[in-house]
């Protein structure tokens, strides 16, 4: 049987308890005052912080974008170095990059040359392309850059990644390097670019830059490394606004042909890599010629006080055995290196396919036909275990195709420090 709870008795007992109501009221009042004071303190702290940040931002923006104000502030003792620091990168940017915004429309395509950066080693041209239809997969067929009516000799790279998204507007950058002599200090250019639409639309847009061509900076290194009797020399690094160039040579007395250095990494003084996969190395020529120049973007290099260049491993083959000899018309391999065996498949039309084993990489370079004529590959594609190359069909058999990479490796790791 459940006994009902006696609420009336409980209320009488609670009423008999002596509660210090005045003391509790004072305590509540003090607590309320403390909370209000804390709120005012936090509010004031936030106010002064925002006010300070706003004043500082206004000061910086005034210096950077109102030249008379910057000039006046340099007269204030102690502010000269501050003004120089705040405006230095802006001066550099204005000195190297020029906005153009030149547009032309053809065949429902609108090309805008947005801006350009030029130095003695080459150019960067920023452009946009717009259309009323999806241009995500629209390819660039060719790029030619003229200076004073003469085509620049060198290599160009371009092309945005295809990510499957629908795009009616694309921005991209053309990187043009020059070989041999430095880019002359002439300011009249023309961009000729052809796209892969059904009309194969070609734009020919002349433009003129205002600034002089920026001079490059060359830092001598001249360090030699020798492994298993094979000498490798790190000669110098050239730094300019559009790119950085690392020059490496091999010794003519080497018994083996150095094909390639497997890994080259460049770090700043904080140990941060400046040649990431996004702006990684691109090789001009290869060590089969005795010299290779590795290019990478120099934005991070320009701001570094010192650089650490790390080299790791090199692929080698005997000098008289550094090629595969084929006959495309008969679809046969006539000769390949005695070191290691690689599976080649030859097809008519100048096509050679390499079946790669797991963990190995074989890459081909140029070809030389029976008449001694040199040919470059026309196309290249690869999957996880296969690489396919296409060479011009006019080559006369037999054809020697030289290697760029081959799985015959000398292992090492070296570092070179360059102080700018």
């Amino acid at each position: 049987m459940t006994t009902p709870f006696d609420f009336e008795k409980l209320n009488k007992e609670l009423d008999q308890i002596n509660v210090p109501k005045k003391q509790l009221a004072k305590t509540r009042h003090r607590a309320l005052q403390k909370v209000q004071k804390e709120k005012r303190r936090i509010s004031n702290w936030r106010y002064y912080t925002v006010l300070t940040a706003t004043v500082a931002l206004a000061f910086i923006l005034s210096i950077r974008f109102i030249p008379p104000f910057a000039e006046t502030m340099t007269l204030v003792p102690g502010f000269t170095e501050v003004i120089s620091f705040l405006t230095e990168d802006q001066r550099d940017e204005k000195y190297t990059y020029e906005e153009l915004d030149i547009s032309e429309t053809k065949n429902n395509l609108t090309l805008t040359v947005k801006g350009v950066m030029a130095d003695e080693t080459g150019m960067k041209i920023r452009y946009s392309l717009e259309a009323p239809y999806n241009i995500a997969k629209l390819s660039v067929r060719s790029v030619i850059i003229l200076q004073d009516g003469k085509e620049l000799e060198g290599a160009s790279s371009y092309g945005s990644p295809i990510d499957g998204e629908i795009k009616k507007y694309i921005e991209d950058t053309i990187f043009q390097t020059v070989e041999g002599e430095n880019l002359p200090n002439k300011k009249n250019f023309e961009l000729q670019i052809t796209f892969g639409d059904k009309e194969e639309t070609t734009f020919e847009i002349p433009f003129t830059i205002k600034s002089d061509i920026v001079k490059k900076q060359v830092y001598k290194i001249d360090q030699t490394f020798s492994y298993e009797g094979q000498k490798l020399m790190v000669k110098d690094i050239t730094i300019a606004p559009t790119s950085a160039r690392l020059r490496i040579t091999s010794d003519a007395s080497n018994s083996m042909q150095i094909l390639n250095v497997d890994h080259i990494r460049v770090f700043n003084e904080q140990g941060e890599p400046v040649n990431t996969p996004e702006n990684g190395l691109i090789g001009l020529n290869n060590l089969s010629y005795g010299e290779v120049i590795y290019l990478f973007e120099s934005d991070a290099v320009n701001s570094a006080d010192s650089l650490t260049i790390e080299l790791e491993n090199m692929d080698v083959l005997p000098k008289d055995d550094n090629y595969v000899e084929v006959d495309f018309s008969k679809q046969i391999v006539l000769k390949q290196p005695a070191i290691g065996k690689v599976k080649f498949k030859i097809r008519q039309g100048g096509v050679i396919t390499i079946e790669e084993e797991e963990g190995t990489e074989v890459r081909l370079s140029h070809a030389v036909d029976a008449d001694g004529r040199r040919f470059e590959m026309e196309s290249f594609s690869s999957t996880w275990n296969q690489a396919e190359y296409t060479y011009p069909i006019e080559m006369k058999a037999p054809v020697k195709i030289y290697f760029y990479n081959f799985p015959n490796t000398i292992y090492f790791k070296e570092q070179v420090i360059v102080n700018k």
Side-chain angles (χ1 to χ4, degrees):
M1 180 176 180
T2 304
T3 304
F5 192 81
D6 194 344
F7 283 101
E8 184 178 351
K9 180 179 180 182
L10 178 61
N11 285 331
K12 290 180 180 180
E13 291 176 353
L14 289 174
D15 288 336
Q16 294 175 1
I17 298 175
N18 185 22
V19 179
K21 296 181 180 180
K22 292 184 178 180
Q23 185 66 29
L24 286 175
K26 289 182 180 180
T27 302
R28 286 197 303 270
H29 182 67
R30 284 197 301 269
L32 180 60
Q33 285 182 320
K34 184 176 180 181
V35 169
Q36 290 175 336
K37 183 178 181 180
E38 183 68 15
K39 285 183 177 180
R40 286 197 299 271
R41 187 185 70 81
I42 293 173
S43 178
N44 289 339
W45 175 81
R46 290 173 178 170
Y47 169 76
Y48 289 121
T49 300
V50 172
L51 179 63
T52 302
T54 303
V55 172
L57 180 61
F59 177 75
I60 293 171
L61 293 176
S62 298
I63 288 174
R64 289 180 63 85
F65 299 108
I66 307 177
F69 180 77
E71 292 175 4
T72 302
M73 291 305 299
T74 58
L75 302 177
V76 179
F79 272 85
T80 302
E81 292 185 1
V82 175
I83 305 304
S84 176
F85 171 77
L86 291 175
T87 58
E88 181 177 7
D89 62 330
Q90 187 184 32
R91 287 197 303 271
D92 290 343
E93 183 178 334
K94 286 184 177 179
Y95 185 61
T96 57
Y97 182 81
E98 294 187 24
E99 294 185 1
L100 297 174
D101 289 326
I102 303 171
S103 296
E104 184 178 335
T105 300
K106 286 184 178 181
N107 301 325
N108 282 328
L109 289 174
T110 298
L111 178 76
T112 300
V113 178
K114 303 181 75 65
V116 63
M117 182 184 296
D119 60 51
E120 290 181 331
T121 69
M123 304 184 73
K124 284 184 183 179
I125 300 175
R126 188 72 182 170
Y127 73 90
S128 66
L129 188 68
E130 191 171 8
Y133 56 89
N134 183 20
I135 54 175
K137 296 183 179 180
L138 184 63
S139 62
V140 177
R141 289 290 177 84
S142 68
V143 170
I144 297 174
I145 300 174
L146 307 178
Q147 185 185 39
D148 274 2
K150 182 181 178 181
E151 182 178 346
L152 295 182
E153 295 184 4
S156 58
S157 63
Y158 44 82
S160 298
I162 298 175
D163 52 17
E165 295 183 4
I166 295 176
K167 297 177 182 178
K168 296 182 180 180
Y169 178 88
I170 293 174
E171 287 193 12
D172 196 13
T173 302
I174 298 168
F175 296 88
Q176 174 72 40
T177 65
V178 295
E179 297 179 10
E181 300 296 326
N182 295 332
L183 187 67
N185 191 25
K186 299 176 181 179
K187 303 181 180 182
N188 296 316
F189 296 88
E190 182 177 300
L191 170 63
Q192 298 179 0
I193 182 170
T194 301
F195 293 95
D197 56 325
K198 62 181 181 179
E199 291 87 3
E200 294 194 352
T201 303
T202 298
F203 292 92
E204 298 175 347
I205 299 183
F207 61 90
T208 301
I209 63 174
K210 298 177 182 179
S211 301
D212 289 337
I213 301 296
V214 181
K215 293 186 178 298
K216 64 186 181 183
Q217 299 292 323
V218 181
Y219 299 90
K220 293 291 184 182
I221 301 174
D222 289 330
Q223 289 198 30
T224 300
F225 304 103
S226 181
Y227 289 92
E228 298 184 17
Q230 312 307 312
K231 294 181 180 179
L232 188 73
M233 288 83 76
V234 182
K235 301 297 292 183
D236 51 52
I237 186 168
T238 299
I239 297 175
T242 61
S243 67
R245 300 182 171 206
L246 178 65
R247 187 163 65 102
I248 298 177
T249 63
S250 59
D251 196 299
S253 65
N254 287 344
S255 61
M256 303 287 279
Q257 178 71 64
I258 301 177
L259 304 177
N260 190 42
V261 179
D262 286 352
H263 300 288
I264 297 180
R265 306 175 184 91
V266 184
F267 304 91
N268 61 17
E269 60 268 26
Q270 285 80 37
E272 301 166 336
V274 299
N275 61 316
T276 62
E278 291 76 19
N279 62 349
L281 293 164
I282 300 173
L284 295 181
N285 294 336
N286 57 57
L287 279 170
S288 297
Y289 308 137
E291 177 179 284
V292 63
I293 297 175
Y294 291 103
L295 280 75
F296 52 98
E297 290 190 53
S298 62
D299 293 345
V301 175
N302 282 323
S303 60
D305 294 325
S306 66
L307 299 171
T308 298
I309 303 167
E310 185 178 89
L311 298 88
E312 185 176 359
N313 307 339
M314 55 187 176
D315 294 335
V316 299
L317 280 173
K319 288 187 174 181
D320 59 352
D321 203 19
N322 62 338
Y323 59 87
V324 54
E325 190 172 46
V326 304
D327 187 325
F328 285 107
S329 61
K330 298 180 180 179
Q331 303 181 45
I332 58 173
V333 174
L334 302 173
K335 179 184 179 300
Q336 65 171 299
I339 298 175
K341 292 297 180 183
V342 180
K343 296 179 180 179
F344 296 98
K345 182 184 293 184
I346 313 300
R347 303 202 310 270
Q348 289 185 349
V351 179
I352 177 170
T353 302
I354 302 172
E355 299 289 340
E356 296 177 331
E357 295 181 3
E358 186 176 355
T360 67
E361 183 177 85
V362 180
R363 292 291 179 263
L364 299 177
S365 178
H366 64 284
V368 176
D369 73 356
D371 291 334
R373 296 179 299 170
R374 176 190 168 115
F375 296 87
E376 304 297 333
M377 76 180 75
E378 293 184 338
S379 65
F380 166 77
S381 63
S382 67
T383 60
W384 70 274
N385 68 338
Q386 181 175 287
E388 183 177 283
Y389 299 80
T390 302
Y391 290 87
I393 59 175
E394 61 266 26
M395 296 186 300
K396 184 178 178 180
V399 175
K400 294 180 179 179
I401 305 176
Y402 290 83
F403 291 99
Y404 178 77
N405 271 5
F406 195 88
N408 185 49
T409 306
I410 294 177
Y411 296 94
F412 71 93
K413 181 181 284 190
E414 289 285 357
Q415 288 189 342
V416 177
I417 297 177
V418 181
N419 294 309
K420 297 169 63 179

